[in-house]
Amino acid sequence: MIVCAIVPVRSLADGKRRLAGAMDDAARAALNEAFLVHTLGLAGALSGPTLLVSPDEAVAAHPSAADAVLVADPGLGLNAAVDAGRNAARRRNAGRIVVLPSDLPTARPDDVLALAGTPSPVAVAPDRHRRGTNGLALDAGLDFAFRFGAGSFAAHMAEAARLEVAAEAVDNPRLALDIDTPEDWRDWRGRG
């Protein structure tokens, strides 16, 4: 079965705006670049192509994106970007998709493989607060409405219930740490 990763990336220079109080613009851009390289490495563990959805030409031109398939971002927000990635995966006959945010610094390829291999039609890896979604694997053919944003973990589980398909919460501490706030940044740095 073909399993495609969908990696939405807003911008290298402009991403992670909530970290502006913890670092200057150059440091934030360097962090976004490091996250991109790491996430594309994670995505490479899957059997299918990595679908990189971004409006940023610097993301598309980055050397680490050379093996990724670039998907046009419709410019309508994260959920629309992920949906564009799913449509591209379907055109490539993917049986399953894995949505990976670009800010999972402690995740490993085996974490992504485990998420992808979850037997439930939908698998949701929550953030450490069990509010957000830090990874989402689902059968590519599902008419699943993406609900990234505030409260997305519960919203994604509810979407699976609406479709009447089984959903599994995948609690993995390496997937649970994302870097959204200065507190997250300090916590990650404190871990060494």
Side-chain angles (χ1 to χ4, degrees):
M1 173 178 22
I2 297 171
V3 182
C4 289
I6 298 171
V7 179
V9 179
R10 185 172 71 191
S11 169
L12 293 181
D14 223 19
K16 296 293 165 201
R17 289 182 187 170
R18 289 186 280 176
L19 295 179
M23 61 184 67
D24 64 24
D25 290 347
R28 219 169 16 89
L31 180 66
N32 287 325
E33 182 178 5
F35 283 166
L36 174 67
V37 171
H38 178 72
T39 304
L40 291 176
L42 295 173
L46 299 173
S47 62
T50 298
L51 306 170
L52 181 60
V53 187
S54 180
D56 185 358
E57 291 180 15
V59 170
H62 195 276
S64 67
D67 293 330
V69 175
L70 303 176
V71 177
D73 186 324
L76 301 172
L78 177 57
N79 292 309
V82 173
D83 199 42
R86 175 179 50 194
N87 291 337
R90 287 175 174 166
R91 288 191 298 274
R92 287 162 178 76
N93 298 314
R96 195 145 170 95
I97 59 171
V98 178
V99 181
L100 293 173
S102 64
D103 63 342
L104 304 174
T106 60
R108 299 178 187 160
D110 58 320
D111 300 322
V112 174
L113 289 170
L115 179 64
T118 304
S120 297
V122 176
V124 186
D127 67 10
R128 62 189 176 151
H129 307 291
R130 288 184 72 81
R131 289 190 295 262
T133 300
N134 281 4
L136 177 64
L138 57 98
D139 295 344
L142 287 176
D143 188 23
F144 189 91
F146 298 107
R147 307 284 185 196
F148 288 97
S152 66
F153 171 63
H156 284 136
M157 296 298 278
E159 177 62 11
R162 182 189 73 80
L163 294 174
E164 299 180 349
V165 297
E168 183 175 335
V170 177
D171 290 300
N172 178 324
R174 289 184 300 271
L175 291 174
L177 178 66
D178 58 349
I179 310 299
D180 289 329
T181 66
E183 177 185 271
D184 296 335
W185 166 251
R186 286 187 293 274
D187 183 38
W188 176 48
R189 291 192 50 155
R191 293 176 186 212

